[in-house]
Amino acid sequence: MTIKGKAYIGGIYEHPTRKADDKSLAQLHAESARGALEDAGLTRDDVDGYFCAGDAPGLGGLSMVDYMGLKLRHMDTTETGGSSYVIHVAHAAEAIVAGKCNVALITLAGRPRAEGMATGTAPRNNSASPDAAFEYPFGPSVVTQYAMAATRHMHEFGTTSAQLAWIKVAASHHAQHNPHAMLREVVTVEDVVSSPMISDPLHRLDCCVISDGGGAIVVVKPEIAKRLKRPRVRVIGAGEAPKHQMGGQVDLTYTGAVWSGPAAFAEAGVTPADIKYVSIYDSFTITVLITLEDLGFSAKGQGGKLVADGNLISGTGKLPFNTDGGGLCNNHPANRGGLTKVVEAVRQLRGEAHPKVQVKNCDVALAHGTGGSLGTRHGSATLIMERE
């Protein structure tokens, strides 16, 4: 079974809130759902499939279905961290092809900023996790695990901090045009490498922002898409893959994108050269660099050259990325950025991105999510869409 051309993105929404002191988690989900449905020209009565992940409160999908008053034929609560929502789009398309639903709603929301979460510098101990007894004594944190990946890539391939900094520079050039972005000031390579060191070799400006908010996506069957008064964006390829410790055979220089990417390209029938715009999960600058290599936009070890000298800046670079400012500058709701990657890719395909960053003749775009940690275990998900 293929999903190529058999499901469309009918509606999208990015919640404008960046600090939700006056909103509950359920409220953020519901407001995002309403926004995406309004964008599509649909109502909650049209929804017969619902998709969410571990950021949903209470009993997750069950609680949100009750809260929003949805009547469903299908529900999916797949949890792969920040890549969950890219996977959900593919799973929604699969459900539509299988006749399980006609209108699938996907929501994301979180309040980490309002709840005082800091940049991931503190070790996290999930005692129920089977790896905790082996890894927690070494004090792993989110940022140290990504720093390990960056250090190894630098050792193996000569990647530099200045090359990583260009990723932040590109994101900042785009964020200046986004009124909702948390960080709108354009930065330089020197600004990034001179910012405080968080975990060597990652500086403060190599790290994503922490924000509240959320977003939603509506996926519909073709017959419904044709009736909607929105530019038509169809899903043409998807891939998903986990990467873990593999019994000690750990290589920190690549991600699960080495498997999810080729699967998505094969289903879509396109190559990296056909992609006009990429939305790449940017929890840290190193995440972007390694992912682009793994997706085939450069040879392994050559990502530093690919991202340097403004090559990711829309209008001037060869491969425009994250034109909303991404997680590095715009937002990172619930510390899960996959959904917003799909949202900005759809904006680009519709021609609805900010005029200063809109990619010319953008007809094929890729969104990629990463959930978990590059240093240990994570899930990768790749989605390819085209304008009809």
Side-chain angles (χ1 to χ4, degrees):
M1 180 181 72
T2 181
I3 61 174
K4 183 177 181 179
K6 297 181 179 180
Y8 288 69
I9 308 296
I12 55 172
Y13 184 76
E14 178 187 350
H15 205 292
T17 295
R18 298 295 180 263
K19 193 167 190 292
D21 290 325
D22 61 341
K23 296 181 185 294
S24 71
L25 185 54
Q27 186 177 358
L28 290 170
H29 272 277
E31 290 179 358
S32 295
R34 181 178 61 190
L37 288 168
E38 289 178 349
D39 179 64
L42 298 168
T43 72
R44 67 176 181 174
D45 293 333
D46 296 305
V47 176
D48 58 355
Y50 178 63
F51 296 71
C52 68
D55 55 278
L59 294 174
L62 295 178
S63 293
M64 287 311 307
V65 168
D66 184 15
Y67 184 79
M68 293 190 291
L70 301 177
K71 296 179 181 179
L72 304 178
R73 294 193 292 132
H74 185 75
M75 184 168 64
D76 185 333
T77 57
T78 297
E79 170 59 82
T80 60
S83 59
S84 301
Y85 319 93
V86 181
I87 286 178
H88 283 158
V89 175
H91 285 192
E94 291 169 0
I96 288 170
V97 172
K100 300 294 185 181
C101 62
N102 296 324
V103 177
L105 171 65
I106 306 165
T107 67
L108 154 75
R111 301 177 68 252
R113 189 179 178 201
E115 294 167 3
M117 180 177 286
T119 302
T121 55
R124 297 179 183 178
N125 180 18
N126 180 357
S127 58
S129 175
D131 51 83
F134 301 93
E135 296 177 3
Y136 188 72
F138 297 96
S141 68
V142 174
V143 68
T144 57
Q145 292 174 39
Y146 281 81
M148 285 194 305
T151 299
R152 190 64 195 178
H153 202 278
M154 289 177 168
H155 173 75
E156 291 279 352
F157 306 115
T159 306
T160 67
S161 291
Q163 289 173 330
L164 290 178
W166 271 108
I167 298 170
K168 176 74 169 195
V169 171
S172 74
H173 272 269
H174 300 150
Q176 67 176 315
H177 304 297
N178 182 351
H180 300 299
M182 287 185 64
L183 304 178
R184 298 186 64 191
E185 181 179 353
V186 176
V187 300
T188 65
V189 169
E190 180 61 29
D191 291 332
V192 179
V193 298
S194 298
S195 64
M197 187 71 74
I198 300 299
S199 181
D200 194 9
L202 298 179
H203 300 82
R204 180 66 190 89
L205 294 183
D206 285 299
C207 307
C208 67
V209 299
I210 293 175
S211 73
D212 300 342
I217 299 168
V218 178
V219 185
V220 301
K221 68 178 184 179
E223 293 82 355
I224 293 176
K226 291 176 182 178
R227 297 201 305 262
L228 303 180
K229 298 178 181 179
R230 306 296 288 122
R232 289 202 289 273
V233 173
R234 63 179 185 172
V235 177
I236 60 172
E240 59 186 78
K243 184 195 173 191
H244 49 81
Q245 301 288 51
M246 296 179 290
Q249 299 180 29
V250 182
D251 183 342
L252 298 178
T253 64
Y254 72 92
T255 74
V258 298
W259 301 299
S260 67
F265 281 115
E267 183 170 41
V270 299
T271 70
D274 297 311
I275 304 297
K276 303 293 178 57
Y277 165 81
V278 293
S279 281
I280 305 295
Y281 199 112
D282 53 346
S283 47
F284 300 89
T285 52
I286 186 63
T287 315
V288 177
L289 187 147
I290 296 180
T291 301
L292 288 173
E293 291 181 343
D294 295 342
L295 291 174
F297 291 102
S298 80
K300 177 54 63 178
Q302 299 301 306
K305 295 179 181 178
L306 171 67
V307 303
D309 301 321
N311 276 331
L312 301 182
I313 299 175
S314 182
T316 60
K318 299 177 182 177
L319 186 65
F321 105 118
N322 295 14
T323 45
D324 61 341
L328 288 169
C329 295
N330 176 26
N331 70 342
H332 191 213
N335 290 323
R336 294 160 170 260
L339 187 142
T340 53
K341 298 299 171 281
V342 177
V343 167
E344 183 66 8
V346 172
R347 288 194 192 112
Q348 282 287 350
L349 290 169
R350 287 177 171 181
E352 294 175 352
H354 191 284
K356 293 289 187 180
V357 299
Q358 177 65 53
V359 176
K360 294 180 180 179
N361 303 315
C362 186
D363 56 352
V364 184
L366 178 149
H368 182 87
T370 305
S373 170
L374 296 193
T376 52
R377 55 201 59 79
H378 62 267
S380 294
T382 309
L383 187 73
I384 301 175
M385 297 161 283
E386 72 175 1
R387 182 184 67 229
E388 186 172 81

